[in-house]
Amino acid sequence: MLKYTFSAEGFEDTEKLQKYVETKVKDLEKYIPRVSRGAAELTVRLRRTKSKSEMYECRLELTFKQATLVASEQVEHAYSAVDVTMADVRRQLADYKSKHSKQ
C-alpha cells in the first residue's frame, strides 16, 4: 500500500475531496514499480491562491529509494488540479520505468 499524506491550505478540505484524492492515489499505485511500492511515499498539497481569479495549485511529490518525482499545476478547480497533476506523475512514472526497467 502506498503511503500518502494530503493537506489543504487556504480552504477547508472536505471529506468528498479527501475521498476523491484517495481514489486517485489508489489508481496511481498500479503505475509504481513493484520493487518501489513498499518504500514509496506520496505527498499531495492542495492550496487555494488568491490573485485576479481564484486558483487552486496542486503539488505532488512521489518519493521512493531511487528518485523523487514532482508535479505541480495551477487551475481554477480543485478536482481538475488533482487530475492534471496525477496525469503528469503517471507520465513521469512511465518515463522512469522505461529508463530503469531491466530489459
Side-chain angles (χ1 to χ4, degrees):
M1 180 74 181
L2 177 64
K3 299 175 200 168
Y4 80 97
T5 56
F6 173 70
S7 63
E9 299 173 15
F11 68 102
E12 205 173 297
D13 62 329
T14 63
E15 190 174 318
K16 187 177 176 182
L17 183 61
Q18 286 179 347
K19 286 183 181 182
Y20 184 75
V21 169
E22 186 176 332
T23 58
K24 291 294 182 176
V25 167
K26 286 180 183 177
D27 184 47
L28 182 69
E29 187 174 14
K30 64 184 172 188
Y31 295 100
I32 298 173
R34 287 184 182 169
V35 236
S36 304
R37 282 185 194 162
E41 292 184 22
L42 179 69
T43 304
V44 182
R45 291 188 188 119
L46 194 58
R47 182 173 70 126
R48 184 172 73 180
T49 59
K50 293 183 180 178
S51 57
K52 293 179 182 177
S53 63
E54 189 174 287
M55 300 288 279
Y56 289 90
E57 179 184 9
C58 184
R59 180 176 172 86
L60 295 175
E61 292 181 20
L62 179 61
T63 307
F64 38 91
K65 291 180 184 178
Q66 298 84 4
T68 299
L69 305 178
V70 178
S72 181
E73 196 66 43
Q74 195 171 28
V75 294
E76 292 180 353
H77 301 286
Y79 294 97
S80 299
V82 172
D83 287 340
V84 172
T85 51
M86 287 288 183
D88 192 19
V89 167
R90 251 187 252 124
R91 182 191 51 78
Q92 289 180 26
L93 274 169
D95 291 344
Y96 176 82
K97 284 173 79 171
S98 66
K99 287 180 184 176
H100 294 89
S101 65
K102 295 178 182 178
Q103 298 295 325

